[in-house]
Amino acid sequence: MTVGRMESAALFDAGKKGRGLRATKELNAGDVVFSESSFSAVVFDSLAMQVCHSCFRRQAKLHRCAQCKFAHYCDRTCQTACWDEHKQECGAIKKAGKAPSENIRMAARVLWRMHKDTGIVSDSQLVSVDQLEDHVADLSQEDLKKLQTDVRSFLEYWSCGRKQHSVDYISHIFGIIKCNGFTLSDQRGLQAVGVGLFPNLCLVNHDCWPNCTVILNHGKIELRALRKIAEGEELTVSYVDYLNLSADRQKKLKERFHFECTCEHCSKHINDDLMAAAADSEGPSADKVKEVTSFSKERLEKIERSRIKGDYHEVLKLCHECLEKQENVLADTHLCKLQVLSVASEVLSYMKVFSEAAEYARRMVEGYMKLYHPNNAQLGMAIMRAGVTHWHAGQIEVGHGLICKAYGILMVTHGPNHAITRDLETMRTQTEMELKMFKQNESVYHNMREAALKK
């Protein structure tokens, strides 16, 4: 049942996919199809003292709620803005003596909001929250046991004086959150910090090569067009990272969202050959490629463990070993090589070994550009990081070029008012000025740069 209206999108029957949204007018790349505030949202348990519970910004010093001593805010403005949502939670945490897990807090916030506003909070909301799919009947035995544990914990947290619900209804709410929860990132888009429920966004179906992307901007999500979209065309986003083989994407989608992906890129296995490609040089045997791929996956697990420990010298040692083994065997578009190049570049940048980091970043970006959609947000972010690395390495011409390319992508995916785009605009202006200086007199530029680095 449609309960609201939006200017640029409308609900429709998408056949086997169920409900979907389609454009009600022609859209251009970078257009905001709609923006939406969360119906409810929570910060992850692990970041509860580092991220504002209202605007989801990471901050060095946050103010703690004096009542429950759990929620943290940037300042009084954020705390006041969040009070309606936190008020009931605050009392429940005080009564329980401690805050429950993020799953329990999220389900409680959804129910409190529904009690206050019903399941519809704006004229533009197209369906009530409790009309969203829950897929409880499709859960595996393991997931069903976890859901049942969450329901029991929820009932302990939910005060007796409040409106009671059946176990089935609470399970329905948990199912909705599991299938429809959207991961929220910090203000720089660098780290997942929480989860939110956005009813209209939940209606947008998946495609591995979508025509839209979702960005969190100033506390709201924005659905932005990645290309020209015709009136009447279905609006789609990708639920998973495209940089996986089609079979692996389909498996993830089936496990998490309970549907078989039949998009063109999965059906035709587009780019699978590149993601598992052998190096061109000597034409290694299939057995050799298989052997090095297996070696790389094992090494990547060790690399991740070392990175978590903060043992960056060990990370680099493992990366170098892996890249040496991959040389002349795996192409630079092979997923395993891209993962190693990404980690090596990131760690070397952190250790300020910028020249080597820039070389790995260049190879990584060249691989990404052959695989990702040209307006993919992750591609834009990777190119931005590569540009900054080249800039820090003193390679101002390449650095400026990459920063300009990233800016063009992020203007589409993030828009001009996003914090990342504004930062990138500042970098673009700075590198343009430095590039002019470099072209006028290279020695003066390098002397200036060396003096700046010594400060």
Side-chain angles (χ1 to χ4, degrees), residues 281-292:
S281 55
E282 299 296 325
S285 67
D287 285 344
K288 187 66 176 175
V289 172
K290 186 176 180 181
E291 175 199 327
V292 173

Side-chain angles (χ1 to χ4, degrees), residues 407-418:
Y407 184 74
I409 296 172
L410 295 185
M411 278 292 285
V412 172
T413 61
H414 290 63
N417 298 318
H418 197 283

